[in-house]
Amino acid sequence: MALSSYLKKERNRHLGELKELLAIPSISTDPERAKDVKRAAQWVSKRLKKAGCTKVRVHPTERHPIVYGEWLGAAGQPTILVYGHYDVQPVDPLNLWKSDPFTPTLRDGKLFARGASDDKGQVIVHVNALEAHLKNGGCPVNVKFLIEGEEEIGSPNLDKFIDGNKELLSCDAVVVSDTAMFAKGRPSVCYGLRGLAYVEISVTGTDRDLHSGTFGGAVANPANALVTMLDSLKDSRGRIKVKGFYDNVVRMSATERRAFARLPYSDTKFRKSIGAPALHGEFGYSTLERIWTRPTLDINGIWSGFTGEGAKTVIPAEANAKVSMRLVPDQTPDEIVRKLTRHLRSVAPKSVKVEVRDLHGGNAWVTPPDRPALQAASRAMQRAFGRKAVFVREGGSIPVVDTFDRKLRVPCVLMGFGLQDDNLHAPNEKIDVDQFYGGIEAAAYLMEELGEVGRRGSKAKPRASRKR
Ligand code: BES
Ligand code: MN
Ligand code: MN
């Protein structure tokens, strides 16, 4: 109780500190923002020190630094590793923001800023939780923080850091808050994420743009060729036609299917919330099944030829597309990119050249929800949000979660406080202030619950329960 009244008292300070971090434009993909990314890393390291971490380091990488912090004062108790990211996505189109993306602005109980929900707000939750315990008699678990600055560009330097620092990162459970809650008032614990394979496709025809009257009809048009090739990737029932694409897909169990069907969810509400005329997806699966358990193939961008005002009669020399595929266990990005490349080459007409470049990717992840660490998270969420937590999977990707699972061999607890309408990666990103405060409580309770799991003896320790 002391803890929760302390947290209520500190609310304004917590919000003010979050605003400070949100004001730093740490856009990892933009080389011009590299100094700001560094400044955000330093802000996080200072905050970790102030919260009570006894060792804090900012590790440089080839690009953006990794911040590490630890408080290991709970002798004999389990250790958790909190992972998150302080980098953010670009802000364009800027004109659609109602307030400046790096001037955090409160409207209607929501704090608007780039990174508010993804992931600065959710990282700070855990820092505040540790500090709260340390100011109220001590923390029931040891806590390590690994907060990176390259998540939004595919974490190119993180695996190397993990490989080189196994001892530093050793723990009994990894805790990540970088996802959403099932709905406002419906706490959830996430036990699965999709993976990702992202490619760029270029189709080239002639060595320059051509007049479509004097040459049209005698040469291939790369834009026509590209759309024909892309069209061959999916059938009318939403199935991906790349040979072998589904070979390694683990099918969901009947139990899981029933559990999803019991969740309070409405297609109509979902459809209306995104302004879609109708829903669309793979035949034979419900919306939640499609998002959580099935792989996808989507064109994320496509460009070629003349797109300016008016008409220009031209046959473009090249056409390009960005295509990404969400993956599910046990598909791997390498295997899927290989299969896609083979498919595209086999359907490409001889009159064009095709190039497929692998941009980045990561594995999907699923873990059994009955693991003690996930059950502890479910109790913590219930205590903080006043309602029984549901177990969900998510459609988004956090590739390092599977890496932690495999390399550290510990359970990963995904406890997200975002909401579906947080506008991640889009204009007007926000965090609901109640979710932020509730998240801090949940994170503090999770430390207590995991401390209890540890105290019940080694058999019940999260580390001893690994199974896949
Ligand atoms: N936090 C998101 C992932 C996410 C969001 C998972 C919502 C579940 C629910 C993360 O920052 C992200 O944007 N991931 C990227 C992939 C990454 C490799 C760039 C994604 O999912 O597109
Ligand atoms: Mn994120
Ligand atoms: Mn993101």
Side-chain angles (χ1 to χ4, degrees):
M1 217 57 235
L3 193 74
S4 85
S5 58
Y6 165 86
L7 287 176
K8 285 209 176 72
K9 229 173 52 222
E10 300 299 316
R11 281 184 173 180
N12 280 334
R13 174 176 63 91
H14 287 160
L15 200 65
E17 285 169 350
L18 174 58
K19 284 183 183 172
E20 280 178 40
L21 177 58
L22 290 173
I24 307 174
S26 50
I27 304 169
S28 48
T29 192
D30 184 352
E32 311 235 297
R33 295 295 197 184
K35 281 222 171 69
D36 294 308
V37 178
K38 195 168 175 188
R39 204 148 53 82
Q42 274 149 359
W43 191 97
V44 172
S45 94
K46 263 174 69 186
R47 180 70 190 93
L48 287 173
K49 268 181 217 148
K50 207 188 87 183
C53 284
T54 49
K55 175 170 149 190
V56 179
R57 299 276 183 275
V58 178
H59 292 272
T61 74
E62 273 167 40
R63 208 149 160 204
H64 304 306
I66 294 170
V67 182
Y68 173 84
E70 64 178 34
W71 178 84
L72 304 179
Q77 288 294 91
T79 299
I80 66 169
L81 173 68
V82 175
Y83 163 83
H85 62 96
Y86 65 81
D87 66 321
V88 301
Q89 285 275 329
V91 295
D92 50 282
L94 191 58
N95 63 314
L96 294 184
W97 285 78
K98 293 201 184 94
S99 50
D100 181 80
F102 299 110
T103 309
T105 306
L106 261 180
R107 284 195 299 274
D108 198 18
K110 296 159 189 129
L111 185 61
F112 288 84
R114 171 59 87 227
S117 178
D118 185 12
D119 181 33
K120 288 169 172 174
Q122 302 208 53
V123 164
I124 292 308
V125 153
H126 295 277
V127 182
N128 292 340
L130 169 65
E131 182 182 59
H133 278 303
L134 295 182
K135 291 229 161 112
N136 289 276
C139 187
V141 289
N142 301 292
V143 183
K144 297 177 175 180
F145 289 93
L146 178 66
I147 314 297
E148 71 155 320
E150 299 185 328
E151 196 276 344
E152 299 291 8
I153 53 172
S155 306
N157 295 297
L158 190 59
D159 280 22
K160 205 164 58 184
F161 184 83
I162 295 172
D163 285 334
N165 292 281
K166 287 261 173 67
E167 198 45 48
L168 184 74
L169 302 177
S170 73
C171 61
D172 299 285
V174 169
V175 177
V176 182
S177 293
D178 193 19
T179 55
M181 215 162 85
F182 186 66
K184 194 157 184 178
R186 279 281 173 180
S188 55
V189 174
C190 173
Y191 67 94
L193 294 165
R194 286 194 291 191
L196 184 68
Y198 203 124
V199 300
E200 187 167 318
I201 304 164
S202 297
V203 175
T204 47
T206 52
D207 64 5
R208 77 206 78 161
D209 285 1
L210 298 173
H211 188 290
S212 71
T214 50
F215 295 91
V219 291
N221 180 324
N224 291 34
L226 177 63
V227 297
T228 307
M229 288 162 61
L230 293 176
D231 187 51
S232 75
L233 292 170
K234 258 189 187 181
D235 71 15
S236 60
R237 305 179 104 208
R239 239 186 117 75
I240 295 151
K241 292 197 292 181
V242 174
K243 189 159 176 270
F245 188 85
Y246 293 95
D247 282 359
N248 297 321
V249 168
V250 176
R251 261 147 240 289
M252 80 194 130
S253 67
T255 323
E256 196 170 32
R257 193 162 218 179
R258 275 195 304 272
F260 292 169
R262 277 198 301 268
L263 290 171
Y265 168 84
S266 140
D267 261 353
T268 311
K269 267 199 204 140
F270 173 67
R271 183 180 66 73
K272 289 190 174 149
S273 77
I274 48 176
L279 294 179
H280 170 86
E282 189 182 0
F283 184 83
Y285 296 91
S286 74
T287 300
L288 290 180
E289 290 167 359
R290 286 169 177 170
I291 299 175
W292 292 351
T293 76
R294 299 297 294 168
T296 64
L297 184 150
D298 279 294
I299 301 171
N300 299 116
I302 181 162
W303 67 103
S304 173
F306 181 69
T307 55
E309 187 74 39
K312 178 188 181 196
T313 47
V314 64
I315 294 174
E318 62 167 51
N320 307 277
K322 298 204 188 251
V323 170
S324 71
M325 292 152 286
R326 293 287 167 175
L327 311 180
V328 299
D330 286 327
Q331 294 177 301
T332 66
D334 287 352
E335 161 228 349
I336 289 300
V337 169
R338 219 180 329 109
K339 288 172 176 169
L340 175 76
T341 307
R342 198 187 305 142
H343 176 104
L344 291 170
R345 290 203 193 296
S346 77
V347 296
K350 283 204 177 60
S351 47
V352 296
K353 281 188 289 251
V354 181
E355 202 195 322
V356 182
R357 283 182 301 279
D358 190 346
L359 296 189
H360 62 73
N363 286 340
W365 166 82
V366 177
T367 201
D370 59 2
R371 300 178 83 174
L374 276 80
Q375 293 295 321
S378 151
R379 293 192 295 276
M381 288 299 270
Q382 177 168 356
R383 285 171 63 189
F385 291 94
R387 194 159 185 188
K388 203 166 170 53
V390 291
F391 283 88
V392 301
R393 287 167 67 167
E394 293 234 29
S397 308
I398 310 174
V400 72
V401 172
D402 181 66
T403 309
F404 284 137
D405 192 315
R406 282 170 205 278
K407 294 194 175 175
L408 303 180
R409 307 202 134 263
V410 294
C412 297
V413 176
L414 267 71
M415 196 165 77
F417 308 114
L419 293 176
Q420 293 301 333
D421 63 352
D422 277 355
N423 296 321
L424 309 188
H425 299 198
N428 305 307
E429 180 178 349
K430 56 92 176 156
I431 189 160
D432 188 296
V433 171
D434 295 337
Q435 292 299 111
F436 177 62
Y437 295 141
I440 301 169
E441 266 191 70
Y445 296 150
L446 178 65
M447 291 168 183
E448 294 181 358
E449 295 290 343
L450 288 173
E452 283 296 319
V453 174
R455 209 167 296 144
R456 265 182 252 137
S458 64
K459 239 193 114 208
K461 262 193 181 178
R463 173 172 270 180
S465 69
R466 188 189 153 83
K467 57 171 186 271
R468 264 188 95 95

